[in-house]
């Protein structure tokens, strides 16, 4: 027993030595900036001169900032639509690719490829696809004698166009997570259900879905955090336009911080965003986090 | 034993690292050359020439090494901000004169009028180009350098090339629709008539050639196009060139001139239908739309470089005229804003940095660098002597600053803040809000920005 505890202590020490550099980097480049940002939210700070304490004035200003509320609505709109669609499509793809089909490996790679493509490159390509005169989408519409659309310059279509591109880019990630989870469901559950006369739909609804709850939890939390921080595709495709129709909170933060030199105000917006993401993630955990047992 | 081996390896790595640091540090200490850093926004073609100019500078100044960091315009703001914040900003910065305000207010760009006034070549620079690099903004009534430079007003950069805009049009397209190619519209009524005649639509009513570039598809186009109409009508974003005390500066979009300008822009799109709302298509990505033939007229700089590079057959077909006036009394009716070289106020090598800026701004080197992209220079000698400037259209363009009808971009508003105005302008042009509401929001925005200073 004594030898065992000495060995475990030595292993723990080795583990800490290897973890220490990374923890140090995390502390300096992630944790410390978060606390500094929290502090800057209560200051008037333009990066180029010292920060000046102004209390809660930034937060009071936020309450009356129409653009901030519009950007929050746009962000909620984006997340509210893309998250359920990505979950649904990701699950459907995972279910299809969990069966023995021809070229299954190829399809798994093909659906995952957009996930590993840099978002800026993807956004630039989709800019061309959405081009009103030379883009392929309008080409298909005009060849079907349907009216062509101003995908990124019509205020009603701009955000749905960005959503479509984002869903295409990210759905492979959900697919992979669900696929891994599906393959982890014990087969004896399905066998037992079939013996009891359960059909495919019942098996799916009463076995597959509950067993996928941990995967749903993980994917929905990650998607929530990601979708609320959408920036790259907005920056490249629409620059927040037309007429602020696609200005999201993070894009607004970027503009205030780097174009208006209002780092303090931007930090206050970032804190509000953090609170919103935290609350929604917390609700997700409550909803999906219930234990499943058979 | 394993533990001892691990400790030995870690100790050896640490000793090696320290040894490398000592050697490297020794090498650095042994280097007595001054290292100057330059930040430039020039494109690939210009970068080759800049390197040649710098090589010659280094030969003339063997104790100075110059390195260049090339960035794009959209990164300029971030690079300057983070560079100054971290203390790693380049010694010499290429920028637009319209970026002067934020950095002059914070005394981060060096005051250069003492250097400049000591130079024998100062009178060779166009006065308007120099005035555009001064902050606070000098009144347009001031006519000499001595009047412009006061104890409160300083020169913060040296102009390098001049973005002057005129009415650029296609003579062949004018002839095609029966218009006299030697006659351009002089007022808005004529502009509207010309544009309608030049517009082409297909069987479905879709505009395939815009008569005039009144693009509304992006907010950056919206604010730039609106700015053109605003100035043509005698209006402005704010009164920075009218007042002497910076505290008296305010937004001026609550004037009839400002409203008429936006209404005219709106009418060009919806009433006269001379431009598609979805944006003017590019025939080939990167080739200006005028050269692609998808627009017949636009307010732009003369695209000599693009013509030579992409469509040399159009050399005689692209012409220019003065922008039309909405208000016959309007004076500064178009953009004339220089690019400039600034020196960081936190540079540790200010005399050397000035040497480099003066070298860049010499007549010979300005001609070499500006000729690459065939852009208007900021020196009269280059206008007179440079081969590319003998082009008749380029000569005509250079008359604009001399006529007093060129306007530098606002220095009290940053590029990003103007982009935000563009969102409101665009909202009105896309029927999201009314014209009055858009201008009210813009004007309030401007006054809020000024009040926070």
């Amino acid at each position: 027993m004594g030898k065992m505890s000495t060995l475990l202590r030595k292993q723990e020490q080795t583990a800490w030595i290897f973890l220490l550099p990374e923890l140090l980097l995390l502390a300096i480049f992630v944790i410390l900036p978060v606390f500094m940002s929290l502090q800057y939210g209560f200051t008037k700070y333009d990066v180029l001169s010292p920060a000046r304490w102004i209390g809660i004035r930034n937060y009071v200003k936020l309450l009356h900032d129409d653009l901030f509320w519009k950007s929050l609505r746009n962000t909620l709109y984006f997340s509210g639509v893309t998250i359920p669609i990505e979950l649904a499509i990701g699950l459907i793809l995972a279910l299809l690719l969990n069966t023995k089909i021809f070229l299954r490996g190829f399809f798994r790679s093909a659906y995952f490829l957009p996930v590993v493509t840099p978002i800026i490159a993807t956004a630039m390509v989709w800019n061309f696809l959405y081009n009103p005169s030379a883009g392929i989408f309008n080409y298909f519409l005009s060849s079907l004698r349907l009216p062509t659309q101003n995908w990124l310059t019509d205020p009603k279509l701009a955000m749905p166009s960005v959503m479509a591109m984002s869903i295409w880019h990210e759905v492979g990630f959900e697919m992979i997570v669900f696929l891994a989870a599906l393959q982890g469901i014990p087969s004896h559950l399905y066998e037992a259900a079939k013996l009891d006369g359960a059909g495919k739909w019942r098996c799916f609804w009463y076995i597959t879905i509950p067993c996928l709850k941990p995967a749903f939890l993980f994917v929905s939390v990650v998607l929530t955090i990601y979708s609320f921080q959408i920036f790259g595709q907005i920056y490249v495709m629409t620059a927040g336009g037309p007429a602020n129709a696609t200005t999201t909170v993070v894009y607004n933060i970027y503009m205030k911080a780097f174009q208006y030199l209002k780092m303090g105000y931007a930090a206050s917006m970032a804190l509000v965003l953090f609170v919103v993401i935290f609350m929604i993630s917390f609700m997700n955990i409550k909803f999906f986090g219930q234990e499943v047992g058979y | 034993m394993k533990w001892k081996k691990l400790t030995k390896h870690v100790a050896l790595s640490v000793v090696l690292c320290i040894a490398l640091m000592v050697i490297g540090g020794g090498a650095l200490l042994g280097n007595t050359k001054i290292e100057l850093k330059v930040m430039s926004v020039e494109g690939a073609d210009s970068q080759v020439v800049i390197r040649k100019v710098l090589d010659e500078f280094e030969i003339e100044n063997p104790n100075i090494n110059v390195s260049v960091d090339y960035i794009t315009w959209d990164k300029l703001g971030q690079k300057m901000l983070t560079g100054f914040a971290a203390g790693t900003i380049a010694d010499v910065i290429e920028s637009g004169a319209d970026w002067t305000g934020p950095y002059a207010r914070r005394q981060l760009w060096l005051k250069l009028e003492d250097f400049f006034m000591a130079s024998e070549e100062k009178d060779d620079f166009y006065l308007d180009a120099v005035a555009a690099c001064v902050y606070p903004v000098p009144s347009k009534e001031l006519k000499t350098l001595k009047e412009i430079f006061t104890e409160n007003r300083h020169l913060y950069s040296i102009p390098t090339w001049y973005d002057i805009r005129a009415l650029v049009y296609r003579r062949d397209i004018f002839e095609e629709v029966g218009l006299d190619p030697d006659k351009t519209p002089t007022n808005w009524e004529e502009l509207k008539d010309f544009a309608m005649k030049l517009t082409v639509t297909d069987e479905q009513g879709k505009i395939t050639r815009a008569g005039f570039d009144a693009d509304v598809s992006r907010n950056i186009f919206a604010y730039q196009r609106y700015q053109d109409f605003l100035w043509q009508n005698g209006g402005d974003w704010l009164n920075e060139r009218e007042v002497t005390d910076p505290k008296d500066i305010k937004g001026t979009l609550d004037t009839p001139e400002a409203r008429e300008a936006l209404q005219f822009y709106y009418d060009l799109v919806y009433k006269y239908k001379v431009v598609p709302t979805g944006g003017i298509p590019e025939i080939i990505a990167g080739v200006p739309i005028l050269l692609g033939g998808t627009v017949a007229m636009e307010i732009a700089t003369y695209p000599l470089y693009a013509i030579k590079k992409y469509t040399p057959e159009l050399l005689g077909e692209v012409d220019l005229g003065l922008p039309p006036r909405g208000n016959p009394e309007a004076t500064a009716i178009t953009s004339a804003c220089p690019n400039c070289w600034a020196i960081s106020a936190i540079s540790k090598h200010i005399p050397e940095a000035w040497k480099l800026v003066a070298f860049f701004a010499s007549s010979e080197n300005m001609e070499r660098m500006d000729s690459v992209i065939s852009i208007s220079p900021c020196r009269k000698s280059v206008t007179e002597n440079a081969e590319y400037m003998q082009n008749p259209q380029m000569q005509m363009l250079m008359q604009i600053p001399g006529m007093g009808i060129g306007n530098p971009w606002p220095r009290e508003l940053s590029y990003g803040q103007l982009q935000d105005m563009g969102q409101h302008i665009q909202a009105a042009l896309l029927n999201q809000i009314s014209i009055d509401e858009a201008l009210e929001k813009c004007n309030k925005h401007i006054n809020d920005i000024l009040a926070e200073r």
Side-chain angles (χ1 to χ4, degrees):
Chain A
M1 276 299 284
K3 268 190 184 170
M4 198 63 152
S5 63
T6 313
L7 181 66
L8 283 171
R9 245 203 322 272
K10 274 192 177 161
Q11 282 182 339
E12 205 183 301
Q13 278 173 3
T14 311
W16 276 113
I17 288 173
F18 279 97
L19 281 174
L20 213 57
E22 180 56 35
L23 285 173
L24 208 63
L25 286 172
L26 203 67
I28 294 170
F29 291 107
V30 178
I31 298 168
L32 183 63
V34 167
F35 282 105
M36 286 176 74
S37 177
L38 201 66
Q39 186 197 359
Y40 286 138
F42 297 95
T43 65
K44 185 172 178 175
Y45 181 49
D46 66 1
V47 181
L48 302 170
S49 9
R52 189 164 58 88
W53 182 265
I54 55 170
I56 61 167
R57 257 196 272 168
N58 282 332
Y59 295 97
V60 171
K61 194 171 163 190
L62 264 183
L63 289 173
H64 302 107
D65 186 347
D66 291 339
L67 183 58
F68 171 71
W69 291 108
K70 183 163 176 67
S71 66
L72 191 58
R73 279 196 303 274
N74 287 341
T75 309
L76 287 167
Y77 174 34
F78 178 86
S79 303
V81 170
T82 56
I83 293 176
I85 292 177
E86 283 183 39
L87 287 174
I89 298 178
L91 180 60
I92 291 167
L93 287 175
L95 288 167
L96 288 171
L97 291 172
N98 199 32
T99 57
K100 284 185 174 56
I101 58 165
F102 182 60
L103 291 179
R104 181 172 65 172
F106 166 76
F107 283 116
R108 285 179 181 179
S109 307
Y111 284 121
F112 192 68
L113 203 57
V115 179
V116 298
T117 310
I119 189 69
I120 300 297
T122 307
M124 288 173 81
V125 170
W126 276 72
N127 252 352
F128 284 112
L129 297 179
Y130 281 134
N131 188 297
S133 50
I136 203 162
F137 295 139
N138 274 350
Y139 171 75
F140 282 138
L141 285 177
S142 59
S143 57
L144 293 169
R145 301 205 185 281
L146 293 168
T148 56
Q149 303 296 325
N150 297 326
W151 299 103
L152 297 175
T153 54
D154 183 338
K156 292 196 183 71
L157 288 178
M159 188 58 106
S161 304
V162 174
M163 287 178 192
M165 174 260 165
S166 302
I167 290 168
W168 176 87
H169 185 260
E170 287 139 32
V171 79
F173 172 74
E174 286 84 59
M175 178 204 75
I176 286 291
V177 173
F178 283 135
L179 194 57
L182 282 170
Q183 288 171 358
I185 299 175
S187 56
H188 67 83
L189 293 175
Y190 292 107
E191 287 160 13
K194 277 182 188 152
L195 281 174
D196 289 338
K200 276 191 178 156
W201 176 249
R202 288 198 141 214
C203 284
F204 174 75
W205 192 250
Y206 290 106
I207 298 175
T208 309
I209 294 288
C211 287
L212 283 181
K213 264 195 174 170
F216 269 111
L217 170 65
F218 172 72
V219 168
S220 63
V221 170
V222 167
L223 262 184
T224 301
I225 295 168
Y226 179 79
S227 65
F228 269 83
Q229 295 180 61
I230 177 189
F231 173 77
Q233 46 271 62
I234 302 291
Y235 184 83
V236 172
M237 294 171 84
T238 60
N244 287 319
T246 59
T247 297
T248 56
V249 176
V250 175
Y251 186 79
N252 197 6
I253 289 171
Y254 161 78
M255 288 297 284
K256 291 293 183 292
F258 292 101
Q259 300 292 342
Y260 281 72
L261 306 188
K262 285 184 178 175
M263 207 59 85
Y265 189 56
S268 65
M269 278 201 268
L271 179 62
V272 172
L273 181 67
F274 164 74
V275 169
V276 171
I277 295 175
F278 182 82
M279 277 167 41
I280 296 178
S281 302
F282 184 73
M283 286 184 331
N284 273 332
I285 291 168
K286 278 281 179 199
F287 182 71
F288 286 118
Q290 292 141 17
E291 285 284 333
V292 173
Y294 279 104
Chain B
M1 282 302 287
K2 264 192 187 168
W3 184 243
K4 268 192 182 166
K5 219 179 174 179
L6 179 69
T7 317
K8 257 194 207 167
H9 284 140
V10 168
L12 190 61
S13 310
V14 168
V15 165
L16 266 170
C17 282
I18 293 172
L20 277 168
M21 277 164 58
V22 166
I23 293 166
L28 277 171
L29 282 169
N31 184 3
T32 53
K33 278 196 173 186
I34 292 169
E35 299 290 332
L36 274 186
K37 285 194 291 182
V38 175
M39 189 161 77
S40 171
V41 289
E42 296 298 338
D45 291 340
S46 297
Q47 290 171 20
V48 174
V49 172
I50 288 177
R51 192 60 255 170
K52 285 189 184 145
V53 170
L54 288 174
D55 288 343
E56 286 171 18
F57 177 79
E58 286 175 346
I59 290 169
E60 279 185 30
N61 300 275
N63 63 324
I64 303 176
N65 246 7
V66 186
S67 60
V68 188
D69 185 13
Y70 291 105
I71 58 168
T72 51
W73 276 107
D74 58 330
K75 298 284 180 292
L76 178 63
Q78 290 167 52
K79 281 288 232 182
M80 274 208 286
L81 177 68
T82 52
F84 275 114
T88 57
I89 189 71
D91 302 283
V92 174
I93 306 157
E94 186 184 7
S95 176
D98 48 326
W99 288 82
T100 307
Y103 294 95
R105 273 196 298 279
R106 293 168 177 85
Q107 300 298 302
L108 290 171
W109 283 7
L110 192 71
K111 292 172 193 162
L112 298 177
E113 66 272 15
D114 289 342
F115 290 112
F116 184 71
M117 291 302 272
S119 163
E120 287 166 3
E121 299 175 28
K122 60 181 179 296
D123 293 320
D124 191 35
F125 285 81
Y126 290 102
L127 181 67
D128 282 359
V130 176
C133 300
V134 172
Y135 189 84
V137 181
S139 162
K140 55 189 177 191
E141 307 304 328
L142 302 177
K143 297 293 178 211
T144 65
L145 287 174
K146 274 207 173 121
E147 284 176 314
I148 287 171
F149 299 138
T150 64
E151 63 177 75
N152 296 321
R153 213 180 291 120
H154 303 283
L155 179 69
Y156 284 95
S157 56
I158 302 298
T160 168
W161 52 256
Y162 224 154
D163 179 358
I164 304 172
R165 299 188 187 183
L167 179 75
V168 187
Y169 66 100
R170 289 278 299 267
R171 294 178 65 90
D172 52 335
I173 297 178
F174 266 46
E175 282 169 359
E176 182 192 301
V177 303
L179 288 169
D180 180 356
D182 291 322
K183 192 177 176 307
T184 55
T186 56
N187 56 51
W188 281 358
E189 191 61 30
E190 287 178 1
L191 177 67
K192 177 252 300 176
D193 291 338
F194 276 57
M196 286 174 76
K197 253 192 158 164
L198 292 160
T199 303
V200 171
T201 53
D202 63 14
E203 315 83 56
Q204 278 118 34
K206 202 171 95 177
I207 296 174
T208 52
R209 184 175 71 209
F212 181 75
D213 181 6
D215 200 337
V216 306
S217 61
R218 289 184 75 104
N219 55 311
I220 54 167
F221 298 152
Y223 87 78
Q224 290 192 34
R225 303 299 178 269
Y226 175 63
Q227 181 172 267
D228 294 333
F229 293 125
L230 184 62
W231 287 342
Q232 287 167 20
N233 206 35
D236 208 338
W237 297 99
L238 61 185
N239 59 352
E240 60 179 18
R241 295 184 75 196
E242 316 289 336
V243 300
T244 44
D245 189 347
K247 291 195 195 78
D248 295 332
I249 298 174
K250 61 183 177 109
T252 49
L253 294 180
D254 52 357
T255 58
E257 290 85 4
R259 200 200 182 281
E260 283 160 12
L262 189 50
Q263 184 68 59
F264 181 65
Y265 190 175
Y266 182 92
D267 289 344
L268 282 176
V269 180
Y270 294 102
K271 191 170 168 188
Y272 308 123
K273 295 186 176 24
V274 304
V275 65
T277 53
I280 299 173
E282 282 179 323
I283 295 296
I284 306 164
V287 176
I289 48 177
L290 189 82
L291 304 186
T294 48
V295 71
M297 291 189 289
E298 60 178 357
I299 302 292
T301 192
Y302 187 67
L304 182 59
Y305 169 68
I307 295 171
K308 285 189 213 168
K309 186 170 181 174
Y310 301 112
T311 54
E313 70 278 10
L314 289 178
L315 199 54
E317 301 294 356
V318 179
D319 208 343
L320 52 85
L322 290 177
R325 281 180 166 79
N327 177 349
E329 309 297 316
T331 48
I333 58 170
T334 191
S335 166
C337 192
N339 244 36
C340 56
W341 292 105
I343 296 175
S344 154
I346 61 174
S347 168
K348 293 185 175 64
H349 310 294
I350 285 172
E352 291 79 15
W354 169 251
K355 246 186 175 174
L356 180 58
V357 168
F359 193 77
F360 275 146
S362 69
S363 187
E364 184 196 337
N365 287 326
M366 188 179 286
E367 181 183 334
R368 284 167 83 185
M369 294 195 290
D370 291 355
S371 66
V372 177
I373 52 171
S374 301
I375 193 85
S376 305
C378 290
R379 292 184 72 142
K380 296 166 199 161
S381 55
V382 180
T383 302
E384 280 163 30
N385 303 323
E387 198 190 315
Y388 78 98
M389 284 305 296
Q390 305 320 308
N391 175 288
Q393 282 77 22
M394 294 300 291
Q395 286 289 325
M396 205 230 125
L397 206 60
M398 296 315 294
Q399 290 172 25
I400 286 177
M403 290 163 78
I405 59 172
N407 223 358
W409 287 34
R411 264 154 285 172
E412 294 293 349
L413 297 172
S414 72
Y415 178 75
Q417 289 162 351
L418 282 171
Q419 260 188 284
D420 269 0
M421 307 302 160
Q423 299 274 17
H424 300 311
I425 302 291
Q426 194 187 26
L429 293 166
L430 294 174
N431 293 309
Q432 301 289 297
I433 55 177
S434 70
I435 286 173
D436 291 315
E437 208 182 324
L439 291 173
E440 201 184 305
K441 283 183 185 234
C442 285
N443 212 45
K444 183 178 179 305
H445 205 140
I446 292 172
N447 288 330
D448 286 346
I449 290 166
L450 294 169
E452 281 186 11
R453 298 250 165 91

